[in-house]
Amino acid sequence: MRSVDVCLTHQDFNNYDHKGKIVVVIDVLRATSTINTLLFLGADHVMPIGSLEECKSLKDHDYIIMAERLGKKVEGFDYGNSPTKLTEKDIKGKKVAIATSNGSKAIIKSEGSEMTILCSFLNIESVINRIKKSESDVILLCSGWLGKTNLEDTLCAGGIVAGLDNFEIESDTALMAKALHENTNDILETIKLSSHAKRLSGYDNKIDIEFCSRVNTQPIIPLLEGNQIVLS
Ligand code: MLT
């Protein structure tokens, strides 16, 4: 029987053996929601970058450069990490480099997996279906916030665990995530309770929270190929 496990922060990922497994990276507010939106709008590919300096250098190589720190756009970049500020006119066909506080680092850490795909609520049902068609065990890698577990990523992971009904649940973190999802009636109202939603709201960014809570409105699969995320 295939197994599913949940890692609650990318800093904990060193405790997980992800070789030969599918890694599903989750950062609902907002990195994997934003990357899903970029590809949904037709971006050629998205490159996750760890450092601001490296991300900025890609401007000279015709990349759109996006950077966020502590939930805010970084000065000198084309965009922060808000999916609602992206338009097809500006994104279609473009190469994009993105450096965020947690999500882009989580994606980079998944290197060496059998397959890395990205999930948010925007494509959660598509991800569940894609996992079912595969054959490997699964680790759901929540990005978290600066080393701490966050509500929205754990809730999304729980939704995936709940959808993988014939998988063996590998650990208590997967049980906890599934229980959280099973006790949630309204995704948006629950996400609004999260510390990051309150942080973003403080920056007058409530629209992103509503956008990132929409279930499977962007039914695509972002796949990590080498150091680029492309439409699977
Ligand atoms: C992250 O990488 O932690 C998030 O994407 C931060 C954000 O977009 O506000």
Side-chain angles (χ1 to χ4, degrees), residues 9-41:
T9 70
H10 74 80
Q11 287 84 348
D12 287 340
F13 199 49
N14 300 328
N15 300 321
Y16 292 74
D17 178 10
H18 65 288
K19 301 287 181 286
K21 295 182 180 176
I22 298 168
V23 175
V24 181
V25 182
I26 301 167
D27 188 334
V28 169
L29 293 177
R30 301 162 288 179
T32 55
S33 297
T34 296
I35 294 169
N36 208 80
T37 302
L38 286 164
L39 293 171
F40 191 70
L41 293 175

Side-chain angles (χ1 to χ4, degrees), residues 27 29-31 68 70-71 81 100-104 144-145 196 200:
D27 188 334
L29 293 177
R30 301 162 288 179
E68 163 276 328
L70 302 178
N81 192 25
T100 72
S101 303
N102 302 274
S104 50
W145 177 259
H196 201 46
L200 292 174

